[in-house]
Amino acid sequence: MNEKTERVRKRTPRRKLARRRKWRESEPRRRGYPPEFRLKAALMCVEGGAVQKTVAHELGISPNTLNTWVLAYRREGPESPLLRASPPPAGGGEARRRLPPPVRGKIVDLKQANPGWGVRRIAQVLRRWFLME
């Protein structure tokens, strides 16, 4: 039994996994593209008659991303929200949920009165005392 399994292992060659080529190996990754850049890229393919794969390679973007922009342009035109929306702000910005000022003040008061307490402890105390969640 052992000899058979060894014989089978010798017959099957090891496969090497092919590595996919990255489109932007040397450039750092961007968070988003400006609306003007997206619109120009879509126009190059739709009205300019250029091949999407070539345009994507020249601009240093993924062909799938460019295809998404081209489809949005063909469906809705230059006023498409995908082509006109600005990129998302880095770090969340104003989109984060803010605490109301009275709650923030109570947290600051508790931290000043008890410097050894951490975030978890303060949250537990607020839940117990004020039924906040």
Side-chain angles (χ1 to χ4, degrees):
M1 188 87 167
N2 216 2
E3 294 174 28
K4 288 182 182 179
T5 57
E6 286 179 28
R7 214 178 301 150
V8 170
R9 285 185 190 155
K10 289 179 184 175
R11 287 183 192 162
T12 55
R14 289 186 178 182
R15 291 185 181 177
K16 291 184 179 180
L17 297 175
R19 298 183 99 182
R20 290 177 58 188
R21 195 183 109 200
K22 294 183 181 177
W23 283 95
R24 294 179 288 167
E25 290 177 349
S26 61
E27 296 179 27
R29 185 167 182 226
R30 291 186 187 178
R31 295 281 306 160
Y33 297 96
E36 300 83 24
F37 178 80
R38 292 183 233 169
L39 185 61
K40 280 183 184 178
L43 285 173
M44 286 173 69
C45 294
V46 175
E47 293 178 1
V51 178
Q52 288 185 18
K53 191 172 183 180
T54 308
V55 173
H57 186 68
E58 287 177 5
L59 295 177
I61 60 175
S62 168
N64 292 335
T65 303
L66 180 61
N67 189 37
T68 305
W69 297 343
V70 169
L71 289 175
Y73 183 83
R74 286 183 179 154
R75 282 187 202 136
E76 302 169 16
E79 297 302 320
S80 169
L82 186 63
L83 299 174
R84 287 290 167 199
S86 60
E94 297 296 322
R96 273 194 227 149
R97 216 171 69 183
R98 301 282 183 203
L99 290 174
V103 176
R104 183 183 297 263
K106 189 62 182 174
I107 291 172
V108 170
D109 293 342
L110 281 173
K111 184 63 178 175
Q112 286 174 349
N114 306 294
W117 287 5
V119 174
R120 227 182 248 177
R121 176 69 176 162
I122 291 174
Q124 290 172 353
V125 168
L126 286 175
R127 279 191 211 112
R128 272 191 236 136
W129 286 355
F130 303 106
L131 302 171
M132 291 184 178
E133 287 194 25

